[in-house]
Amino acid sequence: QGMVIKDGAKMSKSKGNVVEPDFLIDRYGADTARLFALFAAPPEKDLDWSDQGVEGAHRFLSRLWRFVSQYREHLDRANGDLDQRELSPTLRELRRQIHRTIKKVTDDIEGRFHFNTAIAAVMELLNALSLSVKDESVWEDGASLIKGGMETIVTLLYPFVPHMASELWECLGHRKSLEQIRWPSYLQEALEEERLLIVVQVDGW
């Protein structure tokens, strides 16, 4: 059975180094506390308590909330289709990352119970989506894909942060609760990396 370690020592009342769960929940919310605990360590290892880790979990959830709030109008107009065929190379790569994330999280949860690496994969996908929308024109052709990516993130996070995921799911325009939504599936064809044949002409040869 794993222990909770803080500042290199086992957390205990006799050492005066206990962090009460109520304090965390009052300050950050239950979802942040849960996300940190699952992200900080694999199930077979001790949990190394870190105030910075708790703040990091809170920042990630805040970024996720801001993304949906900031781009709400674009997301409201999109249909969330992940399987568009006519996409630019940049959007095709984003589509591949979405499907890779679904596969990674599914394998980590069902096969290995490695919740920390599953959460890390979702964080990477949010980074990719955030980077893609820095170019405002991406919404013209990629709005549905971006919304589909955000729906994927929210669905994958539901087991970890059910309260916030449910709120975001409603913000994305869904009436049916996440409890009634099937776990996302990935397409093998979407995981395939494209290979490009580049022909280089030098001095006319």
Side-chain angles (χ1 to χ4, degrees):
Q1 182 178 359
M3 298 185 299
V4 181
I5 307 298
K6 186 174 189 290
D7 300 326
K10 179 182 176 181
M11 195 179 285
S12 68
K13 290 184 178 179
S14 62
K15 292 186 172 68
N17 63 351
V18 173
V19 178
E20 294 291 342
D22 289 347
F23 166 76
L24 280 181
I25 294 171
D26 289 343
R27 181 169 180 180
Y28 298 104
D31 280 345
T32 292
R34 184 184 295 107
L35 187 71
F36 164 71
L38 294 171
F39 180 68
E44 73 275 7
K45 293 186 178 179
D46 297 335
L47 168 60
D48 191 1
W49 181 270
S50 163
D51 293 336
Q52 291 80 9
V54 178
E55 289 284 353
H58 183 66
R59 283 196 303 272
F60 165 68
L61 293 179
S62 296
R63 284 182 57 218
L64 181 59
W65 187 272
R66 283 198 305 273
F67 187 102
V68 174
S69 298
Q70 182 176 352
Y71 300 110
R72 183 74 177 269
E73 291 186 11
H74 292 296
L75 294 168
D76 284 346
R77 291 195 295 266
N79 63 20
D81 181 13
L82 284 178
D83 300 319
Q84 303 168 86
R85 296 295 184 265
E86 299 300 322
L87 294 172
S88 68
T90 299
L91 289 174
R92 284 200 300 272
E93 176 54 36
L94 182 60
R95 178 173 176 261
R96 276 194 293 274
Q97 182 160 355
I98 292 169
H99 284 274
R100 283 197 300 263
T101 303
I102 295 171
K103 183 179 188 304
K104 171 69 173 170
V105 174
T106 302
D107 291 346
D108 282 351
I109 291 178
E110 294 182 352
R112 295 182 287 271
F113 300 104
H114 284 187
F115 306 125
N116 56 327
T117 53
I119 295 168
V122 176
M123 290 178 172
E124 290 175 7
L125 179 54
L126 178 61
N127 289 340
L129 288 172
S130 299
L131 184 62
S132 71
V133 297
K134 286 187 176 181
D135 180 0
E136 188 70 18
S137 66
V138 76
W139 291 105
E140 296 176 12
D141 298 321
S144 294
L145 183 70
I146 293 167
K147 182 175 182 179
M150 186 52 58
E151 289 172 339
T152 297
I153 286 177
V154 171
T155 307
L156 295 177
L157 282 177
Y158 180 59
F160 307 111
V161 290
H163 303 100
M164 183 172 181
S166 296
E167 288 285 337
L168 288 174
W169 190 247
E170 289 186 17
C171 289
L172 290 169
H174 298 284
R175 295 184 179 180
K176 199 180 271 190
S177 72
L178 272 172
E179 293 178 357
Q180 300 173 286
I181 301 301
R182 295 182 62 181
W183 187 257
S185 58
Y186 61 89
L187 295 177
Q188 187 62 40
E189 64 183 65
L191 301 177
E192 300 296 332
E193 295 289 341
E194 290 187 344
R195 296 188 178 188
L196 301 179
L197 176 62
I198 301 176
V199 179
V200 179
Q201 186 178 35
V202 180
D203 294 334
W205 293 91

